[in-house]
Amino acid sequence: MRTPLLRSAARPLRRRLLGSAGAALLAGALLAGGPAGVARAADATPTAIPTASAAAASVPAAAGELPPDGDTVASPPGANDWNCRPSAAHPNPVVLVHGTFANRYENWLVLSPLLKSLGYCVFALDYGTVPGITSSGSGLLLPIGGLAPVTDSAAQLGRFVDLVRGATGAAEVDLVGHSQGGMLPNYYLKFLGGAAKVGKLVALAPSNHGTTLDGITNLAPYFPRVAELIYTACAACRDQAVGSDFNRRMATRPDTVPGVRYTVISTVYDEVVTPYRSQFLDGAGGAGAAAVDNEVVQAHCPLSLAEHVAVAFAPTALHLVTNALDPAHATPVLCG
């Protein structure tokens, strides 16, 4: 029987957006919703991020010593055990993909150990980091990611998936992402050949068709210098705006790729990826079309107040995640 989810959601470690009000509105409109409170560490020495080719060249015989691609932050509990071998019950390793202005440790403090306790091999990467830009919540100095162009980050995800497949021997992985982390895997599936390596994509509050933040992104043309400052530090923010070149390219192909099962989990209180229904995917595509489940947290728990950040920690949302990963053994969703 499935282990019950935590009865109360862990509070996100940080809810602050960027420092100035103007920057907060613009960046908040475009970011994918991980921890914020951004500061530039003037004295910090940038940490080199291993490339996929370098990682592959240095992979030792012992799988436990595999160097994760983009390893800049400690792994969340339960993740990145490179000796883990998938079980018959859960043959696909799960790869967790954090959101913009986030990192793997903070974004997956709840879901990673939950999945591990259910018997999954769990892996999590950091992607899209920019040296010198840090997050200082909880008295720690942790790099934040999800800032690079989405196309670059999707390629980094692809390299990480290959590392996981190589280490575990699994033919496919399942992906779970939050916000930008729920959207960029779809670029990997559509344009980088990822569909042959992925069984399921479960997306929490994904920026699938861009965001307007209730129209606030429409203010960007009136404040070009502020917008350019944000876009310079966060190319992914530009990519996630409604009408961006990136979103126009995504729209040239159907929402989904045949052979992959998609689940989108949204909240009516999402204040970052708006309108929240823009997160939904259309699985229509004729013969061989992908299966899509568009879920709303409040349809299962009307009392839930989970918003964009909290949806990655809310018990109802996480129960929907575990049901999506193992639909054959889905259980009634708890309200919390």
Side-chain angles (χ1 to χ4, degrees), residues 50-71:
T51 63
S53 58
S58 61
V59 171
E65 298 176 14
L66 282 170
D69 185 15
D71 185 1

Side-chain angles (χ1 to χ4, degrees), residues 8-336:
S8 59
R11 293 185 179 275
L13 296 181
R14 293 187 301 283
R15 292 187 180 239
R16 301 189 311 275
L17 291 177
L18 297 180
S20 70
L25 290 175
L26 288 168
L30 304 172
L31 65 88
V38 181
R40 185 172 291 274
D43 298 329
T45 301
T47 302
I49 301 173
T51 63
S53 58
S58 61
V59 171
E65 298 176 14
L66 282 170
D69 185 15
D71 185 1
T72 57
V73 175
S75 298
N80 296 334
D81 174 5
W82 294 91
N83 289 308
C84 187
R85 295 296 176 267
S87 66
H90 301 303
N92 288 2
V94 177
V95 173
L96 304 177
V97 191
H98 64 71
T100 315
F101 293 155
N103 59 62
R104 65 184 178 184
Y105 181 80
E106 293 174 311
N107 214 146
W108 304 118
L109 273 173
V110 176
L111 183 58
S112 178
L114 171 64
L115 293 178
K116 185 69 172 180
S117 74
L118 295 176
Y120 290 91
C121 289
V122 183
F123 297 87
L125 78 159
D126 283 313
Y127 69 88
T129 56
V130 175
I133 297 178
T134 65
S135 165
S136 57
S138 305
L140 302 174
L141 197 63
L142 296 178
I144 59 175
L147 306 180
V150 175
T151 53
D152 294 351
S153 295
Q156 188 175 358
L157 170 64
R159 296 193 294 268
F160 191 81
V161 166
D162 286 344
L163 284 176
V164 171
R165 292 172 63 243
T168 62
E172 293 183 338
V173 304
D174 292 335
L175 303 176
V176 179
H178 178 219
S179 203
Q180 182 192 165
M183 173 274 294
L184 79 83
N186 214 7
Y187 183 90
Y188 167 59
L189 299 178
K190 286 185 180 185
F191 296 99
L192 302 181
K197 305 173 184 179
V198 174
K200 302 180 187 73
L201 170 57
V202 183
L204 291 153
S207 50
N208 280 327
H209 301 103
T211 177
T212 68
L213 193 68
D214 292 328
I216 292 178
T217 54
N218 295 330
L219 295 175
Y222 297 97
F223 302 96
R225 292 183 181 177
V226 175
E228 285 304 316
L229 177 63
I230 294 170
Y231 291 151
T232 297
C234 179
C237 294
R238 182 194 298 273
D239 287 343
Q240 290 174 88
V242 166
S244 68
D245 290 344
F246 173 81
N247 276 306
R248 284 195 293 270
R249 185 179 185 195
M250 288 288 281
T252 63
R253 297 191 182 182
D255 273 2
T256 59
V257 177
V260 178
R261 186 184 183 100
Y262 295 77
T263 302
V264 175
I265 301 168
S266 303
T267 169
V268 299
Y269 297 113
D270 199 312
E271 76 286 23
V272 174
V273 180
T274 58
Y276 79 91
R277 289 185 177 275
S278 70
Q279 301 170 20
F280 296 168
L281 294 173
D282 181 2
V292 177
D293 294 313
N294 291 309
E295 301 278 6
V296 179
V297 168
Q298 286 74 22
H300 299 271
C301 184
L303 299 179
S304 175
L305 299 178
E307 42 69 71
H308 186 79
V309 176
V311 76
F313 302 86
T316 299
L318 300 189
H319 202 149
L320 289 169
V321 170
T322 58
N323 279 353
L325 290 174
D326 190 7
H329 299 93
T331 58
V333 178
L334 299 174
C335 186

